[in-house]
Amino acid sequence: MKYKDMKQAVNLLANEWDLGKTSSRAKGNVCAWIYLLEILEETEKMIIEKDNGRLIGFCGYAKWKSSKHIIKKKIYHIIKVILIHSPLIRDKKALVKYNDDYDYTPDELQERFDGEISIIILDKNYRGKGLGKKMLQKVFEYAKDDDVKCLQILTDESCNFRFYERLGCRKVYEKTIPNGEPNKYGDTVSEQGYIYEKILNG
């Protein structure tokens, strides 16, 4: 992803989710940058949707135990760690807790998957036009060609999770996330997290 696209992706992420900004008392969009770098660190292939040169959505998949793009992924990891330990994050423990709360795959499901949808996001103004479906189906095809057999999709109430069911994904797990996204008043509330699976090569 080019730097220009990365800046637009960060704005898209920051407008959609809090990403631990409130709880960690972070400055600017640093939490969105950290999240984007984490996505890029694990993603095998990214689909980018644009309108007149402006990034309006992106979707990608990760493959466990992949040996591709190792150097690039290490660079993303290093930059991410630098940002996490920078003065821009005032409460680092709160950010760690936020991220841990959203990493809710139980041990009994760890071996079920060999890949994951690392991200799918689309500008609110472009939803309802089939663009999200188009991106996700392309990613399914790329992952299948990469010999991924079963993809994990982590989602929650802040997303349109029913969307996955319409694309042949099956819910296999549900959990209450205690430290969820802040509501419109800035209060942290709990929300339901879900894990879906998409079988590609059964």
Side-chain angles (χ1 to χ4, degrees):
M1 186 181 279
K2 296 178 180 178
Y3 182 65
K4 178 183 175 182
D5 292 336
M6 289 174 71
K7 290 197 296 183
Q8 294 176 355
V10 162
N11 289 332
L12 196 58
L13 290 167
N15 288 334
E16 185 71 22
W17 298 303
D18 181 82
L19 300 172
K21 178 178 180 177
T22 299
S23 60
S24 67
R25 306 194 318 276
K27 295 181 181 179
N29 285 342
V30 65
C31 288
W33 273 107
I34 290 168
Y35 185 50
L36 177 63
L37 289 163
E38 185 173 312
I39 291 164
L40 295 174
E41 179 188 346
E42 64 182 26
T43 297
E44 294 296 288
K45 189 168 183 67
M46 189 78 76
I47 301 294
I48 295 174
E49 194 71 34
K50 293 187 176 184
D51 182 29
N52 292 321
R54 185 174 70 87
L55 186 146
I56 59 169
F58 55 107
C59 181
Y61 78 93
K63 181 180 180 181
W64 305 156
K65 301 177 183 177
S66 170
S67 58
K68 294 180 183 177
H69 319 300
I70 294 296
I71 302 297
K72 190 184 294 185
K73 289 176 179 179
K74 284 184 178 178
I75 292 170
Y76 289 137
H77 176 77
I78 290 167
I79 300 171
K80 180 188 76 173
V81 170
I82 290 170
L83 287 178
I84 289 171
H85 290 91
S86 75
L88 296 172
I89 304 293
R90 294 187 180 97
D91 189 340
K92 293 169 181 54
K93 287 184 179 179
L95 183 62
V96 169
K97 184 180 186 315
Y98 176 90
N99 289 331
D100 286 347
D101 285 340
Y102 277 91
D103 185 15
Y104 47 83
T105 304
D107 291 342
E108 63 267 24
L109 288 183
Q110 292 288 352
E111 298 300 319
R112 188 186 192 109
F113 307 104
D114 58 345
E116 178 182 7
I117 294 299
S118 53
I119 185 66
I120 178 167
I121 186 170
L122 184 66
D123 188 306
K124 292 181 175 72
N125 298 315
Y126 291 84
R127 292 173 190 172
K129 300 177 181 180
L131 294 175
K133 177 181 178 181
K134 174 183 154 188
M135 286 194 298
L136 196 56
Q137 286 179 325
K138 274 188 183 179
V139 165
F140 286 160
E141 289 172 14
Y142 286 130
K144 185 175 182 179
D145 290 343
D146 198 13
D147 202 30
V148 175
K149 294 178 174 55
C150 187
L151 281 170
Q152 172 181 254
I153 304 170
L154 273 74
T155 186
D156 55 64
E157 287 181 302
S158 69
C159 307
N160 179 18
F161 59 91
R162 300 284 185 201
F163 163 76
Y164 299 112
E165 295 174 3
R166 296 194 291 271
L167 291 175
C169 305
R170 185 172 71 94
K171 184 168 69 175
V172 295
Y173 185 73
E174 181 173 342
K175 181 181 180 179
T176 300
I177 302 168
N179 185 30
E181 290 279 291
N183 62 22
K184 63 182 179 180
Y185 304 108
D187 299 322
T188 300
V189 294
S190 64
E191 64 177 337
Q192 289 302 108
Y194 309 100
I195 295 178
Y196 281 80
E197 71 171 4
K198 175 67 175 179
I199 297 173
L200 302 174
N201 294 294

